[in-house]
Amino acid sequence: MKFPYRPEIDGLKAIAIFTIFLSHFPASYIQSGGVNIFFVLSGFLIAQIIQQKYKKNNNFFGFYASRIKSLYPQLLIISISIYILFLFFGEPEYIKRVFDSCKYAILGVLNIFFIRQEIAYGEDSFLNPYGPFWAFSVIIQYYITYYLIYEFILKKDFFNF
């Protein structure tokens, strides 16, 4: 099923990208917000997909299968490649931490691992090559919970779809 092109969504994506770009400069007045725009857009688009594609067939597992097929091959290839490169070129004293980061990135809970280790993004004692994967973990968790929340709201009849 192909959805119609929505130029306003591309415009919002551009605003989000620009906001994220600006927030990385220390003297910028914009410190956050772009990621929030992406989550709102993702929620909107996922709701459309669920409503039009999976809701008709009551295919709960189809939704998750499609998410896994689209996200995990890339995650596995990149995570394992980074770890292998680190084994050859990284500092040996950090191999355990990098292995743990790789493992938790693949499981989709790297952000939780960082929180438990009391590591704030970008404030680790060494340059962890998996640092940016915290956002990917949040996305995975978002996909897992979004469908469940969506179903709960529909079953409670909060909105009439």
Side-chain angles (χ1 to χ4, degrees):
M1 171 178 296
K2 187 153 171 92
F3 296 102
Y5 175 68
R6 306 278 306 263
E8 65 274 13
I9 291 177
D10 281 347
L12 288 171
K13 286 180 189 176
I15 291 169
I17 291 168
F18 189 66
T19 304
I20 291 169
F21 176 76
L22 289 178
S23 71
H24 283 83
F25 291 101
S28 176
Y29 291 110
I30 298 173
Q31 295 300 316
S32 66
V35 174
N36 297 343
I37 295 170
F38 273 117
F39 276 114
V40 170
L41 287 173
S42 291
F44 172 73
L45 295 171
I46 290 171
Q48 277 192 323
I49 292 169
I50 291 170
Q51 189 67 30
Q52 295 178 8
K53 191 173 183 182
Y54 298 104
K55 198 66 179 157
K56 289 179 184 174
N57 305 332
N58 256 345
N59 192 354
F60 175 79
F61 294 106
F63 173 75
Y64 288 114
S66 72
R67 299 295 99 194
I68 289 169
K69 283 176 17 183
S70 70
L71 295 173
Y72 268 95
Q74 302 156 68
L75 175 66
L76 287 172
I77 291 168
I78 293 170
S79 295
I80 292 169
S81 298
I82 289 172
Y83 187 69
I84 290 169
L85 287 171
F86 192 85
L87 288 175
F88 287 109
F89 302 110
E91 298 177 34
E93 65 192 76
Y94 295 118
I95 287 179
K96 167 99 171 82
R97 187 181 289 175
V98 170
F99 175 74
D100 287 342
S101 296
C102 177
K103 177 176 61 178
Y104 289 111
I106 291 171
L107 293 173
V109 292
L110 184 65
N111 59 332
I112 295 169
F113 171 70
F114 281 169
I115 291 168
R116 292 185 73 201
Q117 297 293 313
E118 297 181 358
I119 299 170
Y121 176 69
E123 296 178 5
D124 203 355
S125 60
F126 79 107
L127 183 60
N128 188 335
Y130 292 94
F133 281 63
W134 72 268
F136 193 78
S137 295
V138 172
I139 291 167
I140 290 170
Q141 294 158 17
Y142 181 72
Y143 279 148
I144 289 170
T145 58
Y146 190 88
Y147 189 93
L148 299 173
I149 293 168
Y150 184 85
E151 282 293 316
F152 176 76
I153 289 172
L154 287 180
K155 285 190 170 96
K156 292 292 184 183
D157 200 26
F158 289 122
F159 308 103
N160 292 325
F161 286 111

